[in-house]
Amino acid sequence: VQLVESGGGLVQAGGSLRLACEVSGFTFNDYAIAWFRQAPGKAREGVSCFNTGDGATYYGDSVQGRVTTSSDNARKTVYLQLNNLKPEDTAVYYCAGRGNAPYYDGPYYRCSVLRETDFHSWGQGTQVTVSS
């Protein structure tokens, strides 16, 4: 199982970025893909979660209204569109994945839970820096 992030960079406040998480090594059906971020000196924070099976989506309070998630099943890629970026959005952004029902065993995982320890596969991260 491999997840690879891309799309990070330096942007001015108010700008936009689109992050991508390309996955491989597992069936893309019914997979929950989450984005977390970690700023220097701070705990990792859940940003969004997207279930590839039913399209269920959840966004964290700190980014609500400024981000959207989409997927390209053919490319096995999930995107995170970040708009109206603020300096406090500066962080390393990680994508993480876990299997979900019904294709994978176990109960259905609700994206609104968005708990770091629930995700077993992680990418290396991509840096997002927002200048004021």
Side-chain angles (χ1 to χ4, degrees), residues 44-128:
R44 196 170 292 185
E45 174 191 15
V47 175
S48 74
C49 179
F50 175 80
N51 189 45
T52 63
D54 59 10
T57 308
Y58 173 81
Y59 301 114
D61 291 341
S62 63
V63 298
Q64 187 70 246
R66 299 189 295 121
V67 304
T68 56
T69 301
S70 61
S71 71
D72 183 335
N73 288 0
R75 297 180 182 272
K76 298 182 74 173
T77 300
V78 173
Y79 301 97
L80 181 69
Q81 178 70 40
L82 305 169
N83 300 317
N84 190 21
L85 283 161
K86 304 174 182 180
E88 51 264 43
D89 294 318
T90 295
V92 178
Y93 284 69
Y94 300 89
C95 68
R98 58 165 287 151
N100 206 355
Y103 185 86
Y104 291 90
D105 292 337
Y108 178 79
Y109 183 81
R110 296 186 180 277
C111 270
S112 58
V113 175
L114 196 51
R115 185 167 47 215
E116 181 179 348
T117 53
D118 292 335
F119 293 85
H120 51 71
S121 300
W122 289 78
Q124 294 296 315
T126 185
Q127 176 71 46
V128 171

Side-chain angles (χ1 to χ4, degrees), residues 7-11 15-19 80-83 85 128-129:
L10 173 64
V11 64
S16 299
L17 283 174
R18 189 176 76 159
L19 307 184
L80 181 69
Q81 178 70 40
L82 305 169
N83 300 317
L85 283 161
V128 171
T129 302

